[in-house]
Amino acid sequence: MKPIIETRQAEKLYQVGDSTIHAVDGINLQVEKGEFLCISGRSGSGKSTLLSLLAGLESPTAGEIEILGQHLEQLNEKERSRFRRAHIGFVFQSYNLLPQFSAWENVAMPLQIRGISLKDRKERAMEILDLVGLRDHALHKPTELSGGQQQRIGIARAIVTGPAIVFADEPTGNLDSRTGQEVMELLGRIFRKWGTTFILVSHDEEMYRYTDREIRLKDGKIEQQTLREERML
């Protein structure tokens, strides 16, 4: 079966004064459908830049990035945006919820962008809130929710359209260890059931426990790849 994501010699260069920074330096990577992948590394290793490339938030300086059969390096910004809306979900460290809207309205936002009717998007949002255990908080504003609850709202918003791939950038970074564990277990249950491909960026060495494979970056290159079974030995 063809990988759902494949990169070939992907590079991202930044010019800082007279210096050229190789944020991502010739990465070859394949991700299978339904795989849970953890991208790790120290600050400045290139992990967030690689996530941005894989998610179509940025275009590579060189190389190829193929997702669901589409070469993202051939798309302009508008086309990449359209592709993300159709196929990709995001979970952020800082939740990125709109404070003026209720929980269900935040969850339904991607559906509103797609032009879904109010009745249908509210019904779908309530279904997903039930899935993450927050149906009873549908009318609450983000400031009325705990950090763990806000992240669950963020998860619900990321999956309300049923995306093929979900990217998470330090999703437990603002949570205590117990709440972070609960969030990761929730993500695992939902995505394993749905067959969603899940790509996580984190500096937390414990995150590998929730994923199938870890790739560790250093200076924009893949320094090491480890399967979960190898880490458990």
Side-chain angles (χ1 to χ4, degrees):
M1 182 181 296
K2 186 177 177 61
I4 194 170
I5 297 174
E6 185 168 10
T7 73
R8 305 175 189 90
Q9 291 297 310
E11 295 185 5
K12 185 64 178 181
L13 309 182
Y14 296 103
Q15 199 68 34
V16 181
D18 294 330
S19 301
T20 300
I21 306 299
H22 289 74
V24 170
D25 192 3
I27 285 184
N28 295 304
L29 176 66
Q30 292 185 339
V31 181
E32 303 300 325
K33 183 182 184 301
E35 183 177 5
F36 281 29
L37 177 68
C38 179
I39 302 174
S40 65
R42 294 182 177 180
S43 178
S45 63
K47 58 185 186 296
S48 292
T49 302
L50 178 58
L51 180 97
S52 294
L53 293 178
L54 296 178
L57 296 171
E58 296 186 63
S59 59
T61 305
E64 301 175 61
I65 298 178
E66 185 178 357
I67 300 182
L68 292 165
Q70 176 66 64
H71 281 265
L72 298 191
E73 79 280 357
Q74 298 175 1
L75 304 182
N76 59 37
E77 186 173 346
K78 185 176 181 180
E79 291 168 335
R80 291 200 311 274
S81 177
R82 190 180 304 119
F83 181 86
R84 290 195 303 271
R85 288 199 302 270
H87 303 292
I88 293 173
F90 295 92
V91 178
F92 302 96
Q93 176 180 348
S94 57
Y95 320 135
N96 285 8
L97 302 179
L98 298 174
Q100 69 271 34
F101 294 128
S102 66
W104 84 260
E105 289 171 325
N106 269 282
V107 173
M109 192 61 64
L111 301 176
Q112 183 175 354
I113 293 172
R114 289 187 174 193
I116 306 298
S117 71
L118 174 61
K119 178 179 180 295
D120 288 346
R121 66 176 183 263
K122 184 173 184 179
E123 181 177 329
R124 176 61 174 168
M126 295 301 289
E127 290 175 357
I128 300 301
L129 282 172
D130 192 35
L131 184 65
V132 301
L134 288 178
R135 189 182 184 94
D136 291 342
H137 295 75
L139 298 180
H140 290 187
K141 300 289 181 64
T143 54
E144 300 172 314
L145 302 171
S146 68
Q149 289 171 332
Q150 289 185 62
Q151 189 58 293
R152 285 172 181 258
I153 298 299
I155 292 169
R157 180 187 55 198
I159 65 177
V160 71
T161 60
I165 306 166
V166 172
F167 293 93
D169 191 358
E170 302 283 3
T172 62
N174 288 340
L175 305 176
D176 62 73
S177 58
R178 179 179 177 181
T179 305
Q181 179 179 340
E182 293 173 352
V183 165
M184 291 305 300
E185 289 174 351
L186 173 67
L187 287 168
R189 286 197 302 272
I190 294 172
F191 294 157
R192 298 286 185 194
K193 180 180 179 181
W194 290 3
T196 306
T197 304
F198 180 46
I199 299 181
L200 163 74
V201 164
S202 180
H203 67 273
D204 185 346
E205 294 184 357
E206 293 298 308
M207 288 298 103
Y208 78 87
R209 296 191 297 115
Y210 304 99
T211 59
D212 303 316
R213 178 168 53 123
E214 177 188 19
I215 63 169
R216 185 168 184 83
L217 301 189
K218 181 178 180 181
D219 299 329
K221 298 178 180 290
I222 296 178
E223 178 184 37
Q224 182 179 358
Q225 296 198 51
T226 310
L227 296 177
R228 182 182 180 186
E229 290 79 4
E230 296 171 352
R231 293 291 295 267
M232 300 298 285
L233 294 177

